[in-house]
C-alpha cells in the first residue's frame, strides 16, 4: 500500500514539475516574442509545440519563422500539419502566407483563389475559411469567401454579419451601406446597431448623401418597408434636414396608422437640436389627432415649452411674451390646476417672474402648486427652489433663505440638496457677505454633481482672489450686484453696472470676469457678434486665467450653432483639446470636434 502511494506521489510530483517547466518556457517565449527576439522565441515555441501540438503555440512559432525569413522551416512545418489536418484551413492559408513572404504574390493569390473556388457546401467550413483569411490579414479574400459562400449555399442572406464586420474594418462605406440595408429590410431590429456603426465610420456629409441615395433607390422597389423609412428619417436628422425628417416621420405614422410614438420621439430630438419650429409642428400634429389621442395633453404642454425656448433663446418682444403667457393660462384653464399641469404652472411662474415683471403673481402660483397632494418629492423640491428665486426678486430674502434651507435639509447629500445649498451661498454673495458665501461654496467643491462642484469652485475662486485688497473687495461687491441684476433678468442695468466698476475702482482684478459676464449677457440678448468680441478678448489677454477654456468653448458653440460656421467651431474645439487637456470642457469639446469632423453623430 505504501509502495503504491509512493508511486502515485512520484508521478504527481513529476507531472507538477513538468507543468511548471512548460509554464516557465511559455512565459519566457511570450516575452521574447513580444520583444521581437524571434530567434529565441522560435526555439522555445518549437519546443512547446512539439511537446503539446497546442495551436496556441503554433501561431507565434510560425510567425517567428516568417520574421526570421526561415521559409523552408516554415514550409516543412505547414506541409506536415496540412497532411495531418487536411480539414483545417489555418495551415492551408499559411502556405499562401509563405508564398507572399517569399515575394511570390501571384502564386499566393492563385493558392487563395483555388481555396475559394473549391468551397464545400458547408456553412461552418466557409466561415472557418473566411475567418482564417481575416487572421492572415487577407481581407479581400475573406470577403470573396463569404460572397462565394452565398452562391454555394444558394442563400444571398448568409454571412451578412461576417461581411458587415469586414466592411466596417475596411471602412468600405458603399458596401457597408449595401449590406446593412439588405439586413434592415428583413430585420428592422438591427437599425440601432446600423446607425451606431455608420455614425462611427462616416466622415462627412457626402457619406450620408450616399446612404440617402441607396435608401431612396430601394424604397422605389419596396416603398412600404418600415426599416428603410426609419433609416431615411435618421439620415435626414444627421444632415440637419429637420423639415424632411419630420415629413418622413409623419408620413410613416399615417401609413402605419400609429398613435404618434415616433413623431413624439422625433419632437424630443428636434428640441435637443434647438429645431424648435419643427418640434412645434411635430407636436401640433399630435394635438390634431384629437383629445382622445395618447399624446394630446403632453403635446399641448410641450408645444408651449418649445415656444418658450424659441422665444427666450433669442430676441423677443413683449408681445411674444404675453402671447406665451396666454398660451400657458389657456392650457391650465382647459385642464385645471392639478398634478397634470404642474409643469405648465412652473413654466408660467418663471415667465411671469423673470420676463413679465409679475413676481407676485408667480409667487402665488407656486405657493398654490405646493399645496397639491401627491406630488413627487423632487417636483416639490424643484418648485421650492423656484419659489425661493422669486422671493429674491420680491426682496423677501429671509423667506428665500428659509425655503432653500428646507430643500437642503430634505435632500441632504443629494444633488437637489446641494443645489439648494449653492443657491443659499449665492444669496449671501449677492448680499455682499463674501466670507460666509465662500465658506459654503468650499463645502460644495466636493459635490457629487460635477456642475454644482464646478460652479461652486469658480465662485469660491472669484471671491478668494478678491479678498486680499480693499479695492478688489469693493469691486467684487459691485460685481455681485451685477450678478443679481442678471439673476433678475435686467441685462441692460447689469451692463451699465459693469461699466461703472472700472470707473469706481480702477485697477481692480476683475478684468476677465467682467468680459465673461458681458459676453454671457450678449449671448442671452442674441447679440452674438458682441459676445464674440468679448470672448476673443479673453482668449487674447487672459488665456491662462480661469475663463480661458470657457471662452474657447463658448466661441465654438456660437460658431457651431448660431453662426453655422462648423470649420471655425472645429478649430476652437481642437484648441481646447490640445491646449487645455485638464479642462472640464475637454470631453464635450472632443465629442463636438468628432461630430463636426464626421466621426460621430448623435
Amino acid at each position: 500500500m505504501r509502495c503504491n502511494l509512493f508511486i502515485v506521489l512520484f508521478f504527481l510530483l513529476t507531472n507538477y514539475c513538468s507543468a511548471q517547466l512548460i509554464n516557465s518556457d511559455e512565459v519566457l517565449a511570450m516575452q521574447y516574442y513580444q520583444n521581437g527576439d524571434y530567434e529565441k522565441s522560435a526555439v522555445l515555441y518549437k519546443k512547446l509545440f512539439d511537446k503539446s501540438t497546442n495551436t496556441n503555440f503554433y501561431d507565434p512559432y510560425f510567425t517567428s519563422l516568417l520574421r526570421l525569413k526561415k521559409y523552408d522551416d516554415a514550409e516543412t512545418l505547414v506541409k506536415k500539419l496540412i497532411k495531418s489536418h487536411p480539414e483545417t484551413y489555418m495551415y492551408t492559408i499559411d502556405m499562401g502566407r509563405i508564398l507572399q513572404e517569399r515575394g511570390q504574390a501571384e502564386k499566393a493569390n492563385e493558392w487563395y483563389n483555388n481555396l475559394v473556388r473549391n468551397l464545400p457546401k458547408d456553412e461552418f467550413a466557409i466561415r472557418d475559411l473566411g475567418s482564417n483569411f481575416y487572421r492572415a490579414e487577407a481581407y479581400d479574400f475573406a470577403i470573396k469567401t463569404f460572397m462565394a459562400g452565398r452562391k454555394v449555399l444558394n442563400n444571398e442572406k448568409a454571412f451578412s454579419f461576417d461581411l458587415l464586420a469586414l466592411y466596417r474594418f475596411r471602412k468600405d462605406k458603399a458596401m457597408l451601406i449595401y449590406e446593412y440595408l439588405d439586413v434592415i429590410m428583413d430585420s428592422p431590429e438591427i437599425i440601432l446597431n446600423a446607425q451606431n456603426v455608420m455614425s462611427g465610420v462616416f466622415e462627412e456629409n457626402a457619406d450620408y448623401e450616399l446612404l440617402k441615395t441607396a435608401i431612396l433607390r430601394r424604397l422605389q422597389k419596396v416603398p412600404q418597408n418600415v426599416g428603410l423609412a426609419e433609416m431615411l428619417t435618421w439620415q435626414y436628422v444627421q444632415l440637419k434636414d429637420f423639415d424632411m425628417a419630420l415629413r418622413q416621420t409623419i408620413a410613416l405614422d399615417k401609413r402605419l396608422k400609429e398613435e404618434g410614438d415616433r413623431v413624439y420621439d422625433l419632437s424630443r430630438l428636434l428640441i435637443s437640436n434647438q429645431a424648435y419650429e419643427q418640434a412645434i409642428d411635430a407636436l401640433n400634429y399630435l394635438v390634431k389627432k384629437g383629445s382622445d389621442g395618447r399624446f394630446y395633453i403632453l403635446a399641448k404642454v410641450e408645444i408651449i415649452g418649445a415656444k418658450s425656448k424659441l422665444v427666450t433663446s433669442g430676441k423677443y418682444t413683449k408681445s411674444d411674451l404675453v402671447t406665451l403667457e396666454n398660451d400657458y393660462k389657456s392650457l391650465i384653464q382647459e385642464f385645471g390646476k392639478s398634478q397634470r399641469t404642474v409643469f405648465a404652472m412652473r413654466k408660467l411662474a418663471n415667465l411671469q417672474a423673470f420676463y413679465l415683471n409679475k413676481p407676485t403673481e408667480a409667487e402665488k402660483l407656486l405657493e398654490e402648486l405646493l399645496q397639491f397632494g401627491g406630488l413627487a418629492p423632487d417636483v416639490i423640491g424643484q418648485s421650492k427652489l423656484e419659489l425661493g428665486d422669486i422671493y429674491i426678486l420680491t426682496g423677501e430674502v429671509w423667506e428665500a433663505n428659509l425655503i432653500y434651507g428646507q430643500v437642503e435639509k430634505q435632500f441632504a447629500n443629494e444633488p437637489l440638496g446641494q443645489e439648494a445649498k449653492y443657491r443659499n451661498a449665492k444669496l449671501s454673495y449677492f448680499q455682499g457677505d463674501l466670507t460666509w458665501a465662500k465658506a459654503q461654496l468650499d463645502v460644495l467643491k466636493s459635490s457629487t454633481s460635477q456642475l454644482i462642484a464646478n460652479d461652486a469652485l469658480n465662485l469660491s475662486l472669484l471671491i478668494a482672489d478678491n479678498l486680499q485688497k480693499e479695492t478688489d473687495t469693493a469691486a467684487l461687491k459691485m460685481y455681485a450686484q451685477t450678478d443679481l441684476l442678471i439673476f433678475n433678468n435686467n441685462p441692460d442695468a447689469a451692463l451699465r453696472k459693469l461699466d461703472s466698476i472700472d470707473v469706481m475702482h480702477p485697477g481692480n482684478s476683475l478684468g476677465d470676469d467682467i468680459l465673461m459676464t458681458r459676453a454671457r449677457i450678449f449671448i442671452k440678448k442674441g447679440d452674438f457678434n458682441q459676445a464674440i468680441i468679448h470672448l476673443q478678448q479673453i482668449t487674447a489677454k487672459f488665456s491662462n486665467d480661469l475663463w480661458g477654456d470657457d471662452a474657447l468653448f463658448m466661441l465654438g458653440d456660437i460658431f457651431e450653432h448660431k453662426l453655422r460656421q462648423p470649420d471655425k467651431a472645429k478649430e476652437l474645439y481642437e484648441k481646447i483639446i490640445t491646449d487645455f487637456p485638464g479642462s472640464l470642457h475637454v470631453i464635450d469639446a472632443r465629442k463636438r470636434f468628432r461630430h463636426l469632423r464626421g466621426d460621430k453623430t448623435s
Side-chain angles (χ1 to χ4, degrees):
M1 184 69 179
R2 287 181 180 177
C3 180
N4 289 339
L5 182 60
F6 175 78
I7 292 170
V8 170
L9 289 172
F10 174 78
F11 276 112
L12 286 174
L13 185 61
T14 302
N15 289 336
Y16 174 77
C17 292
S18 177
Q20 289 295 98
L21 184 61
I22 289 173
N23 288 338
S24 175
D25 285 345
E26 187 177 342
V27 171
L28 198 55
M30 186 185 301
Q31 288 176 349
Y32 288 142
Y33 184 78
Q34 290 175 344
N35 292 333
D37 192 344
Y38 299 115
E39 286 282 1
K40 293 178 181 176
S41 69
V43 171
L44 282 176
Y45 275 123
K46 182 180 187 309
K47 177 182 173 184
L48 290 164
F49 185 67
D50 288 346
K51 278 186 178 180
S52 66
T53 66
N54 187 330
T55 53
N56 290 332
F57 302 138
Y58 163 76
D59 217 31
Y61 174 36
F62 175 74
T63 303
S64 295
L65 293 175
L66 291 186
R67 295 288 183 273
L68 295 168
K69 301 187 185 301
K70 294 184 176 181
Y71 303 130
D72 291 340
D73 291 348
E75 187 173 339
T76 301
L77 171 68
V78 169
K79 282 182 175 178
K80 179 181 176 183
L81 290 168
I82 290 174
K83 188 175 180 180
S84 58
H85 303 282
E87 76 289 349
T88 305
Y89 281 119
M90 177 169 62
Y91 308 126
T92 312
I93 286 175
D94 281 347
M95 182 61 75
R97 290 175 66 188
I98 295 169
L99 292 171
Q100 281 186 321
E101 291 290 332
R102 280 177 162 161
Q104 298 173 308
E106 287 187 16
K107 284 189 176 181
N109 288 341
E110 180 56 31
W111 182 268
Y112 289 156
N113 279 320
N114 190 53
L115 290 172
V116 176
R117 279 193 295 265
N118 292 286
L119 282 175
K121 198 172 183 178
D122 180 333
E123 183 177 340
F124 178 81
I126 295 168
R127 182 168 283 111
D128 183 44
L129 178 60
S131 299
N132 275 290
F133 273 130
Y134 181 87
R135 163 186 161 272
E137 299 181 7
Y139 306 117
D140 289 339
F141 282 99
I143 292 169
K144 276 186 181 182
T145 298
F146 292 127
M147 296 300 283
R150 285 178 167 178
K151 292 180 180 178
V152 169
L153 298 175
N154 194 26
N155 181 2
E156 288 302 312
K157 304 296 182 183
F159 310 114
S160 290
F161 292 97
D162 303 275
L163 286 165
L164 284 170
L166 282 161
Y167 295 143
R168 179 182 183 181
F169 177 77
R170 299 295 299 276
K171 287 199 170 183
D172 188 337
K173 299 165 191 173
M175 289 308 298
L176 187 72
I177 289 169
Y178 179 90
E179 196 65 40
Y180 258 127
L181 295 185
D182 252 11
V183 177
I184 286 168
M185 287 174 68
D186 295 325
S187 306
E189 66 274 8
I190 200 69
I191 285 176
L192 183 59
N193 172 270
Q195 291 170 353
N196 288 336
V197 170
M198 287 180 184
S199 65
V201 172
F202 289 180
E203 297 168 322
E204 54 190 358
N205 284 350
D207 297 329
Y208 290 100
E209 291 289 352
L210 187 67
L211 172 63
K212 180 174 75 173
T213 302
I215 295 172
L216 291 174
R217 282 177 180 166
R218 289 179 184 244
L219 282 172
Q220 288 176 349
K221 299 176 183 178
V222 282
Q224 301 303 315
N225 190 277
V226 176
L228 293 177
E230 288 185 358
M231 281 300 293
L232 185 60
T233 300
W234 177 77
Q235 177 274 150
Y236 284 131
V237 171
Q238 308 318 299
L239 290 174
K240 306 294 183 184
D241 190 346
F242 299 123
D243 288 319
M244 284 300 298
L246 178 57
R247 191 180 306 171
Q248 177 70 20
T249 304
I250 288 176
L252 193 57
D253 181 82
K254 288 179 177 177
R255 186 198 311 162
L256 299 176
K257 297 179 180 178
E258 294 180 335
E259 296 183 359
D261 294 70
R262 67 180 73 242
V263 178
Y264 179 73
D265 289 342
L266 179 62
S267 75
R268 304 303 302 155
L269 184 61
L270 292 170
I271 289 171
S272 70
N273 280 275
Q274 300 178 21
Y276 301 122
E277 292 177 355
Q278 291 89 345
I280 291 167
D281 289 341
L283 293 164
N284 273 324
Y285 169 79
L286 296 173
V287 169
K288 287 175 183 176
K289 280 180 173 280
S291 57
D292 293 334
R294 181 176 162 193
F295 294 98
Y296 180 74
I297 297 175
L298 187 58
K300 276 215 160 190
V301 171
E302 296 207 11
I303 284 171
I304 303 174
K307 284 183 178 179
S308 175
K309 289 181 178 179
L310 180 62
V311 169
T312 58
S313 64
K315 295 180 179 179
Y316 50 83
T317 64
K318 180 70 178 290
S319 175
D320 293 329
L321 298 175
V322 171
T323 300
L324 189 59
E325 180 188 30
N326 290 331
D327 285 343
Y328 276 123
K329 286 182 175 179
S330 296
L331 180 77
I332 293 168
Q333 186 175 359
E334 181 180 357
F335 298 106
K337 293 177 179 178
S338 67
Q339 292 182 42
R340 294 196 304 173
T341 54
V342 161
F343 170 86
M345 292 173 70
R346 288 170 59 190
K347 288 290 185 181
L348 175 58
N350 179 270
L351 183 68
Q352 290 176 329
F354 293 97
Y355 292 90
L356 291 169
N357 196 28
K358 298 179 180 179
T360 304
E361 288 184 37
E363 186 179 311
K364 289 179 181 177
L365 189 62
L366 286 181
E367 287 175 344
E368 184 179 356
L369 180 156
L370 287 168
Q371 299 305 310
F372 295 164
L375 292 178
D378 62 317
V379 172
I380 295 172
Q382 288 285 1
S383 300
K384 282 185 174 182
L385 291 182
E386 291 159 10
L387 181 57
D389 292 347
I390 294 170
Y391 284 146
I392 294 175
L393 286 184
T394 57
E396 300 170 89
V397 177
W398 172 249
E399 291 294 335
N401 179 273
L402 185 64
I403 203 164
Y404 288 153
Q406 288 176 5
V407 178
E408 182 185 344
K409 184 177 179 180
Q410 183 181 355
F411 296 91
N413 300 318
E414 295 180 34
L416 198 57
Q418 291 162 353
E419 175 64 30
K421 189 177 188 70
Y422 175 73
R423 294 195 192 194
N424 238 339
K426 200 158 187 183
L427 177 57
S428 298
Y429 161 73
F430 288 152
Q431 294 176 292
D433 192 350
L434 303 178
T435 304
W436 173 253
K438 184 179 181 305
Q440 301 306 301
L441 293 166
D442 287 343
V443 174
L444 287 167
K445 287 190 289 188
S446 58
S447 168
T448 54
S449 165
Q450 186 63 62
L451 185 61
I452 293 172
N454 188 40
D455 288 343
L457 175 63
N458 286 343
L459 187 53
S460 175
L461 288 173
L462 174 68
I463 294 172
D465 289 346
N466 292 280
L467 286 179
Q468 309 305 317
K469 296 180 183 178
E470 189 174 331
T471 301
D472 291 340
T473 303
L476 179 60
K477 288 184 177 180
M478 284 189 70
Y479 183 78
Q481 292 168 14
T482 301
D483 267 345
L484 180 57
L485 289 169
I486 295 169
F487 176 85
N488 291 344
N489 199 24
N490 195 345
D492 294 329
L495 287 171
R496 290 193 294 271
K497 177 71 76 172
L498 286 171
D499 290 339
S500 67
I501 292 176
D502 284 335
V503 176
M504 298 289 292
H505 305 286
N508 66 79
S509 59
L510 292 168
D512 58 334
D513 301 294
I514 290 171
L515 285 169
M516 176 56 75
T517 302
R518 289 179 66 85
R520 285 174 171 161
I521 291 172
F522 284 122
I523 288 172
K524 192 169 184 181
K525 287 165 71 73
D527 191 343
F528 301 113
N529 290 327
Q530 278 296 318
I532 288 170
I533 290 171
H534 288 81
L535 291 170
Q536 286 177 337
Q537 286 184 47
I538 294 174
T539 61
K541 298 178 183 177
F542 304 99
S543 62
N544 296 321
D545 289 344
L546 179 65
W547 300 116
D549 57 328
D550 295 83
L552 281 172
F553 189 81
M554 290 165 69
L555 281 168
D557 187 70
I558 291 172
F559 280 109
E560 180 184 5
H561 294 116
K562 305 301 181 184
L563 303 184
R564 304 298 178 188
Q565 295 182 32
D567 289 339
K568 182 64 177 174
K570 187 167 65 172
E571 178 186 319
L572 290 160
Y573 293 141
E574 186 174 23
K575 189 171 179 61
I576 294 173
I577 296 166
T578 56
D579 293 1
F580 296 91
S583 169
L584 291 172
H585 296 296
V586 161
I587 294 175
D588 278 339
R590 186 174 287 112
K591 286 180 182 176
R592 293 189 182 202
F593 174 78
R594 288 175 176 170
H595 166 72
L596 292 172
R597 194 175 61 182
D599 294 352
K600 188 176 190 303
T601 311
S602 56

